[in-house]
Amino acid sequence: MISWVGDRTPAAEGPLAGLTVGIKDNIEVAGVRSTCASKFLRDNVAAHDATVVRALEDAGARVVATLNLAEFAVGVTSQNSAAGGPRNPWDLRRVPAGSSGGSGAAVAAGLVDLALGTDTGGSVRLPASACGVCGLRPSPGLVDTVGVYPVSAEFDAVGPIARDVDLVARAFDVLTHQPQRPRPRPSAIGVPSRFVTDDVDPAIAAAVSGLVDELRGQGYEVREVEIPHAEQAQDHVYTLLYPELAEIHRDRLRTAPADFQPATLERIRLGLDIGERAMRAAAQARDDFRKDLRRVFEEVEVVVTPTMPVDVPFIDGDESVIAESRRLGQLSYPWSLHTGPTLSLPVGFHPGSGMPIGAQLTAAHADEAALFAVGRDYQRATDWHRRRPPVRVRQSSSDAPRSSPISL
């Protein structure tokens, strides 16, 4: 679901002039309801623009809509929304992933040129993969989060979603208020011999291998690398993240737990049972993981991994919320423990379902330029990012297009 906002006046000129933008509804847009897809905030109207919204408008982009998400950005399918979950434009029976599901779906469907999402454990990258577009989790701390409803101060990042890498890169420049400095094209690409699990859908593994083969053919050196401690990284993120999340919502958990979407409540409550000892152990493991990753990025400049280990699931799946969330985020959460950026880009379609497949490119801290260079090279030689879904947009009222929801 997408809610059109009233007329706003961006700068007349700028690097994003003429482009339309949708904003995930946990990022404040002044004068517009800012609900985080929750009953708790259904009447909340933002008094100020988030810093990232001002930056986009100062660059000439026109903010036209706020976009649906998982409630309070907690969840990886986006179905736990008070507004009703968004659907994937490639197959309306399937999820757009999450929590920035509305952002991924809106870009894929052509409703906006560019969208903002937030990424804590994969919430930009997973929708980008599931919807066949590009999404960046920037190095944490590079993009301002003032005016963004938090999930975790340590792990939250605001990132752009667009059809191609070039627009993602242009938006990143705007969000960080500085053009990228020229850098030599990366020469060495790392491919883990095993990343987290061997249980990856064979079609997904083949599509990611196709990306690697294309880059090798373009002259990139491909090296096998090991990502130490990757198997436990998702658990370490959970252990550090969920107590913080439970604390943010402590009053709501105490006074009105029934007002949460059930899936949201189930996940937030996980943080109530995690103690200080477990958090200290996870923090030490985080530090060890980051230390070992620095060595990896001394050997190679970019690491390639799948974005999701499985095909895009149906909305009415049989798995429990916790099990499905864990499985979908199995390959994205480890990179959230990293201090550097990860970019998801489309690399093919599943031969069984016809759904998009995404791959992650990851680099060292603040080396987004390396990801953009590799991504641009790949997209110059392929057309996966140009494919369009067979979506039909249903608008609820033809005489009020600026204030009506659109459902996918």
Side-chain angles (χ1 to χ4, degrees):
M1 180 173 281
I2 176 171
S3 295
W4 300 113
V5 304
D7 291 331
R8 295 170 62 90
T9 305
E13 298 180 353
L16 301 180
L19 298 178
T20 57
V21 179
I23 306 295
K24 184 178 180 179
D25 193 26
N26 63 337
I27 302 172
E28 293 185 336
V29 179
V32 175
R33 282 198 309 155
S34 184
T35 71
C36 292
S38 176
K39 292 180 181 178
F40 287 104
L41 299 179
R42 58 182 172 267
D43 297 321
N44 179 57
V45 176
H48 306 284
D49 286 329
T51 304
V52 288
V53 171
R54 291 199 305 272
L56 293 176
E57 291 192 327
D58 288 346
R62 184 163 59 94
V63 174
V64 298
T66 57
L67 305 170
N68 203 0
L69 66 151
E71 184 180 26
F72 288 115
V74 180
V76 298
T77 67
S78 297
Q79 296 312 295
N80 51 318
S81 162
R87 298 170 181 267
N88 194 309
W90 288 96
D91 182 344
L92 300 182
R93 300 170 299 168
R94 297 178 188 262
V95 304
S99 63
S100 309
S103 298
V107 170
L111 297 174
V112 293
D113 300 309
L114 174 70
L116 287 187
T118 59
D119 189 310
T120 304
S123 291
V124 162
R125 293 163 286 158
L126 296 176
S129 177
C131 296
V133 293
C134 303
L136 174 71
R137 172 184 168 84
S139 300
L142 293 191
V143 177
D144 199 310
T145 58
V146 172
V148 179
Y149 200 96
V151 174
S152 165
E154 177 173 359
F155 295 112
D156 288 353
V158 177
I161 297 175
R163 187 165 295 281
D164 58 55
V165 171
D166 188 65
L167 182 50
V168 168
R170 288 160 56 197
F172 174 75
D173 285 356
V174 166
L175 296 172
T176 54
H177 303 283
Q178 55 184 8
Q180 297 164 56
R181 296 177 180 177
R183 75 175 315 281
R185 189 183 89 158
S187 57
I189 303 296
V191 179
S193 53
R194 183 178 189 271
F195 183 65
V196 181
T197 177
D198 292 323
D199 186 17
V200 175
D201 185 307
I204 293 174
V208 176
S209 293
L211 174 144
V212 174
D213 290 343
E214 171 60 37
L215 295 177
R216 184 186 286 111
Q218 292 186 25
Y220 286 92
E221 178 185 357
V222 177
R223 301 178 187 173
E224 188 174 287
V225 296
E226 179 185 357
I227 309 298
H229 317 301
E231 292 83 356
Q232 296 81 35
Q234 185 178 24
D235 287 330
H236 300 324
V237 177
Y238 282 157
T239 301
L240 295 169
L241 163 67
Y242 277 113
E244 188 175 2
L245 183 61
E247 182 60 31
I248 290 170
H249 296 284
R250 179 172 296 277
D251 289 343
R252 297 186 180 106
L253 289 172
R254 186 180 67 252
T255 61
D259 285 351
F260 283 107
Q261 299 290 313
T264 310
L265 179 62
E266 184 177 359
R267 296 192 70 186
I268 291 177
R269 277 180 167 165
L270 293 174
L272 299 175
D273 299 323
I274 298 174
E276 288 291 334
R277 183 175 180 180
M279 292 179 67
R280 286 196 298 271
Q284 181 60 58
R286 172 202 62 203
D287 295 345
D288 292 342
F289 180 74
R290 291 174 176 175
K291 180 179 178 181
D292 287 335
L293 271 183
R294 285 194 289 272
R295 297 192 185 101
V296 171
F297 287 111
E298 289 171 359
E299 299 177 22
V300 298
E301 292 159 278
V302 172
V303 172
V304 178
T305 54
T307 307
M308 300 196 321
V310 294
D311 196 9
V312 182
F314 289 99
I315 290 172
D316 299 320
D318 296 328
E319 276 196 295
S320 72
V321 170
I322 301 301
E324 184 171 57
S325 297
R326 182 176 183 84
R327 182 65 166 143
L328 289 183
Q330 197 170 17
L331 307 182
S332 63
Y333 266 84
W335 294 125
S336 291
L337 208 60
H338 175 41
T339 61
T342 300
L343 172 73
S344 180
L345 74 169
V347 295
F349 291 86
H350 197 287
S353 66
M355 296 303 292
I357 295 172
Q360 295 180 109
L361 306 178
T362 302
H365 175 72
D367 198 6
E368 279 78 1
L371 306 184
F372 301 149
V374 175
R376 284 175 171 130
D377 280 349
Y378 178 72
Q379 291 192 334
R380 276 193 286 268
T382 60
D383 70 348
W384 304 118
H385 60 291
R386 297 190 185 97
R387 308 288 181 92
R388 301 272 180 163
V391 67
R392 292 183 179 181
V393 177
R394 300 193 306 275
Q395 191 166 304
S396 63
S397 175
S398 61
D399 60 354
R402 299 292 298 181
S403 60
S404 301
I406 285 182
S407 299
L408 290 175

